[in-house]
Amino acid sequence: MFPVARPRRLRRTAAIRDMVRETSLDARDFVYPLFVRPGQGVRNEISSMPGNYHFSVDRLIEEVASAWEDGVRSVILFGLPSKKDETGSEAYDDEAAVQSAVRALKQSLPDLVVITDVCLCEYTSHGHCGVVKEGTVLNDVTLELLARVAVSHAKAGADMVAPSDMMDGRVGAIREALDDVDCPEVSILSYAAKYASAFYGPFREAAGSAPQFGDRRSYQMDPANAEEALLEVGLDLEEGADIVMVKPALAYLDVVRRVRESYHVPIAAYNVSGEYAMLVAAADNGWIDRERAILETLTSIKRAGADIILTYHAREAARLLR
Ligand code: PBG
């Protein structure tokens, strides 16, 4: 009790604060999300996500090589197709942008961890994450397509595939398909507890993946539910997920903490596009200190219990931590 107890003693100097700090950030925990599209020489800034770009494969390689120099060791790729159709067939085209990017990245940076987002919404004309019939997103038919996407990414050389669709049973279907084509070493990072969130707004503009009718509430989780996140994570682990993710991160730090306390596997959290856009917009207006806000945000996600953070700040934060 005061005056014996004086917590300020351990805040007196920077070296003492460094010594007693409980949470530390490490660039090796960051995954850098990138958007790849067909073409050559393309580097177009995404208006809703300043500082992020649509890259063609050649320019993507340059960006990732620079990010590697900054200390980034892992990327997750999202693809933009040259054409969309009902079943998102370009998602499982071996010659599409993502598959080409995986091959090129693995060749130029063999030690880079290459993760691919496995979903159909960027590739379907209706913008939903699965096959649609009479206005309903069908679950089981979609699994076959997702498995084809994952296999196509694995054959290109991806280290991990990350299904983000929220269909039931997709982790098991993907695991089985990967093993069938002799890719037992490819890991699955599942978007296990993915919420139907307003914070994906900027991404949908970036990926051109906004649903053309309805919304994603019949497959993504209700923001009000946390117990259900534990169910989702448990099911994905039973089906063979190697890493489980909570998404978004900031409005769901309690969920990250609960998953941390319930399961003994690596946990990822996705610091999503809306979280990025809010911070950048406030900083651009001079309302918050950009660098401090980035590091504080990432620290909070780590402190909540995430081992791995997917973040559009990855490259900048890695530079700040050097
Ligand atoms: C695709 C997908 C989305 C995100 C990652 N994968 C969008 C969505 O579900 O609508 C969001 C990423 C972000 O907002 O940064 N299913």
Side-chain angles (χ1 to χ4, degrees), residues 119 121 164 194 200 203-204 216 220 247 272-273 312:
C119 198
C121 62
S164 65
K194 177 173 177 178
Y200 307 150
F203 174 96
R204 290 184 187 170
R216 302 209 202 291
Q220 298 181 345
K247 177 187 174 186
V272 298
S273 59
Y312 303 97

Side-chain angles (χ1 to χ4, degrees), residues 143 146-148 150-151 154 158-161 163 169-189 236-243:
L143 299 184
L146 292 168
R148 281 173 73 173
V151 164
D159 295 293
M160 293 183 192
V161 293
R170 91 274 208 213
V171 172
I174 289 172
R175 182 71 273 158
E176 197 182 312
L178 290 174
D179 292 351
D180 277 351
V181 295
D182 212 19
C183 289
E185 74 292 346
V186 173
S187 325
I188 299 176
L189 187 172
D236 282 9
L237 289 172
E238 279 170 34
E239 290 177 32
D242 300 283
I243 302 175

Side-chain angles (χ1 to χ4, degrees), residues 36-37 39-42 55-63 104:
V36 57
R37 48 153 285 174
Q40 264 233 316
V42 184
F55 291 106
S56 53
V57 174
D58 54 329
R59 302 301 297 273
L60 178 84
I61 302 297
E62 293 170 13
E63 172 69 15

Side-chain angles (χ1 to χ4, degrees), residues 4-38:
V4 174
R6 288 183 183 270
R8 285 186 58 189
R9 277 187 206 113
L10 298 182
R11 297 178 202 142
R12 198 169 50 84
T13 71
I16 296 174
R17 290 193 294 273
D18 286 348
M19 178 187 233
V20 300
R21 183 162 302 124
E22 298 172 36
T23 307
S24 57
L25 290 174
D26 188 326
R28 286 171 292 194
D29 303 328
F30 301 155
V31 180
Y32 187 20
L34 292 159
F35 299 91
V36 57
R37 48 153 285 174

Side-chain angles (χ1 to χ4, degrees), residues 14-235:
I16 296 174
R17 290 193 294 273
D18 286 348
M19 178 187 233
V20 300
R21 183 162 302 124
E22 298 172 36
T23 307
S24 57
L25 290 174
D26 188 326
R28 286 171 292 194
D29 303 328
F30 301 155
V31 180
Y32 187 20
L34 292 159
F35 299 91
V36 57
R37 48 153 285 174
Q40 264 233 316
V42 184
R43 183 178 182 271
N44 295 340
E45 190 164 28
I46 300 163
S47 61
S48 56
M49 300 172 68
N52 289 270
Y53 301 83
H54 288 157
F55 291 106
S56 53
V57 174
D58 54 329
R59 302 301 297 273
L60 178 84
I61 302 297
E62 293 170 13
E63 172 69 15
V64 179
S66 309
W68 178 272
E69 291 301 312
D70 290 332
V72 171
R73 293 290 171 266
S74 175
V75 298
I76 181 164
L77 301 179
F78 295 92
L80 291 110
S82 56
K83 54 165 188 6
K84 299 178 188 249
D85 59 27
E86 280 288 306
T87 57
S89 57
E90 202 167 317
Y92 40 90
D93 178 342
D94 292 341
E95 302 307 320
V98 165
Q99 289 82 347
S100 309
V102 171
R103 284 189 292 269
L105 285 172
K106 274 295 171 188
Q107 190 166 22
S108 58
L109 294 163
D111 296 328
L112 177 77
V113 181
V114 177
I115 308 171
T116 56
D117 184 83
V118 171
C119 198
L120 297 174
C121 62
E122 297 103 297
Y123 300 88
T124 50
S125 41
H126 44 70
H128 279 287
C129 303
V131 177
V132 171
K133 198 174 168 199
E134 286 154 18
T136 306
V137 179
L138 300 179
N139 195 89
D140 299 15
V141 201
T142 300
L143 299 184
E144 283 167 47
L145 298 183
L146 292 168
R148 281 173 73 173
V149 178
V151 164
S152 166
H153 294 174
K155 283 197 306 190
D159 295 293
M160 293 183 192
V161 293
S164 65
D165 53 283
M166 288 300 277
M167 296 301 121
D168 292 329
R170 91 274 208 213
V171 172
I174 289 172
R175 182 71 273 158
E176 197 182 312
L178 290 174
D179 292 351
D180 277 351
V181 295
D182 212 19
C183 289
E185 74 292 346
V186 173
S187 325
I188 299 176
L189 187 172
S190 81
Y191 288 67
K194 177 173 177 178
Y195 288 88
S197 172
F199 293 100
Y200 307 150
F203 174 96
R204 290 184 187 170
E205 190 185 320
S209 64
Q212 298 304 301
F213 67 90
D215 54 41
R216 302 209 202 291
R217 283 176 233 232
S218 77
Y219 41 108
Q220 298 181 345
M221 285 179 58
D222 182 336
N225 295 355
E227 291 293 331
E228 192 187 353
L230 301 180
L231 168 69
E232 282 283 7
V233 167
L235 290 170

